[in-house]
Amino acid sequence: MREPSLHIREKELALVLKDIKKFYDINKISTEKLATIILNKSKGKSCNNRLVIISNEKLNRKTNQVLKSKKEDASLLSSLIYMLRQKKKHRGITRIDQDHRDWPKLKKLALVCLDFCNDNNLDKKAGFIRYLQIGLDKITSYRNYIGKLLDMAESINQEYELLLQIQDDTNKPETQEIHDYYVSKISKNTGLSENYKNKPNKYISFIKVRELTDELDIPFDIYIDAQFEALAWANSFPDPNQLVGDKAMERLNKYLYENKIRKKGKKEIKTNDELKDALLKLKLKTRKK
């Protein structure tokens, strides 16, 4: 059985005792009986927000734990930022501690990084490092860089998804070959030396080209040539992100038509073998130029 208890304000208790003294001689009753009388008289006067106070105390303890957790996460993040910036050989690096003006922003960034870890099922330290690596590589000026890392949350998540797709590429050698062929075309036409291997938002297009040319059963160099030739009139070349899509297919079909890939004399090519044979001849023809 639950033992009776009392939680009452001093002012209310004084009124209860005053009322008891009107009817009882306190000096002549036992302490046990007096306690019972006080409990009975206090009914309706006890604090009805006791549970709220207790709950608030528990909530405060929990909040303190959360704040402590945020502090620990922010401290970890600060150490990792310092380490990564050292690896990049940055000068004048200052470790962000609790007295630093960017500490509040760092705590917010820690929460963003935790979300990144949860969304991508990453260990905390590994996830923090990955977020920072992607973000720091994007930053050119380190003025207010913590704020920039906060603002980059969406783009960092998107880039990480692209990196996973690149990592899961089922034919990495051919994708790289397509990339190398594409940049060699740019170099030949413009003299510019390009490399998109460290630009996931661009490199992903070469995976798409590989998948598409595999599906169409067309040599990738013919496909790339079609994209370049379609823009040659403007003395331009397609961006990697322009290599796939409806416009890219239009450029391919035009290229095949103009080079009579779809027709052999007046006879239309109907079989895959005939198409492959025509493509091979075109491939040899273009290489002789």
Side-chain angles (χ1 to χ4, degrees):
M1 183 177 178
R2 183 176 177 269
E3 186 176 358
S5 61
L6 177 66
H7 183 75
I8 190 171
R9 292 185 178 88
E10 182 179 357
K11 183 179 179 181
E12 297 293 339
L13 179 59
L15 292 174
V16 169
L17 292 174
K18 183 179 180 180
D19 190 42
I20 291 172
K21 288 174 71 175
K22 289 180 181 179
F23 302 97
Y24 299 94
D25 186 353
I26 295 177
N27 296 322
K28 292 183 179 181
I29 58 177
S30 66
T31 53
E32 289 80 9
K33 187 175 181 180
L34 178 61
T36 302
I37 294 171
I38 291 173
L39 282 169
N40 291 334
K41 290 285 186 180
S42 298
K43 287 180 180 178
K45 294 183 174 63
S46 61
C47 293
N48 57 8
N49 62 343
R50 185 184 179 195
L51 290 176
V52 174
I53 293 172
I54 294 173
S55 298
N56 285 341
E57 288 175 355
K58 290 182 179 178
L59 182 60
N60 287 336
R61 286 198 297 270
K62 186 175 181 181
T63 301
N64 288 335
Q65 290 175 353
V66 171
L67 289 173
K68 184 179 179 182
S69 176
K70 288 182 182 178
K71 177 183 173 183
E72 291 172 353
D73 294 335
S75 296
L76 172 62
L77 195 60
S78 176
S79 298
L80 293 174
I81 290 173
Y82 189 81
M83 176 193 72
L84 291 172
R85 292 196 64 188
Q86 276 189 321
K87 284 187 176 180
K88 287 179 172 290
K89 302 186 184 303
H90 292 171
R91 295 181 179 180
I93 307 171
T94 302
R95 190 187 294 272
I96 300 174
D97 54 27
Q98 294 183 63
D99 297 326
H100 197 283
R101 65 181 181 181
D102 285 335
W103 180 255
K105 288 183 181 179
L106 190 72
K107 288 202 295 184
K108 290 181 182 179
L109 182 60
L111 291 176
V112 170
C113 289
L114 283 172
D115 287 340
F116 176 79
C117 294
N118 292 332
D119 291 343
N120 296 291
N121 196 27
L122 293 170
D123 170 78
K124 184 192 292 186
K125 184 176 180 180
F128 279 20
I129 290 174
R130 202 71 190 96
Y131 186 98
L132 292 173
Q133 285 175 331
I134 296 172
L136 292 175
D137 284 345
K138 291 175 174 289
I139 294 175
T140 53
S141 170
Y142 278 80
R143 184 176 182 180
N144 188 32
Y145 72 95
I146 299 297
K148 292 176 182 177
L149 288 171
L150 275 169
D151 295 338
M152 287 179 182
E154 185 176 351
S155 65
I156 288 174
N157 272 283
Q158 290 173 349
E159 182 159 322
Y160 183 71
E161 289 178 7
L162 293 175
L163 288 169
L164 291 179
Q165 292 179 43
I166 292 170
Q167 180 181 311
D168 294 338
D169 183 10
T170 56
N171 194 341
K172 292 182 176 66
E174 186 171 339
T175 299
Q176 182 171 327
E177 195 175 349
I178 293 171
H179 166 272
D180 293 347
Y181 183 75
Y182 170 85
V183 296
S184 71
K185 294 275 293 182
I186 294 177
S187 179
K188 181 179 178 181
N189 294 343
T190 67
L192 299 174
S193 179
E194 297 285 357
N195 190 331
Y196 299 97
K197 293 176 184 177
N198 294 321
K199 298 177 181 178
N201 62 323
K202 302 286 187 180
Y203 195 79
I204 195 70
S205 296
F206 300 108
I207 295 178
K208 294 178 180 178
V209 169
R210 180 189 58 74
E211 292 172 342
L212 180 60
T213 53
D214 285 348
E215 181 183 341
L216 296 174
D217 204 11
I218 293 177
F220 69 77
D221 51 351
I222 296 293
Y223 184 91
I224 296 294
D225 289 347
Q227 307 307 315
F228 273 81
E229 186 162 312
L231 298 177
W233 65 272
N235 196 27
S236 182
F237 58 86
D239 182 83
N241 292 330
Q242 294 178 305
L243 293 176
V244 289
D246 293 340
K247 290 291 184 181
M249 287 304 298
E250 288 177 12
R251 290 192 285 267
L252 174 64
N253 288 330
K254 182 180 179 182
Y255 183 80
L256 295 175
Y257 176 79
E258 290 179 348
N259 286 278
K260 300 181 180 180
I261 301 299
R262 291 297 181 188
K263 291 185 178 180
K264 195 174 184 179
K266 293 184 179 181
K267 183 181 177 182
E268 187 176 351
I269 297 175
K270 295 182 179 180
T271 68
N272 283 337
D273 288 339
E274 289 176 336
L275 177 59
K276 288 179 185 179
D277 184 58
L279 288 169
L280 179 60
K281 288 180 179 178
L282 176 60
K283 188 174 181 179
L284 293 172
K285 178 182 175 182
T286 54
R287 284 185 174 177
K288 288 179 181 178
K289 290 182 180 180

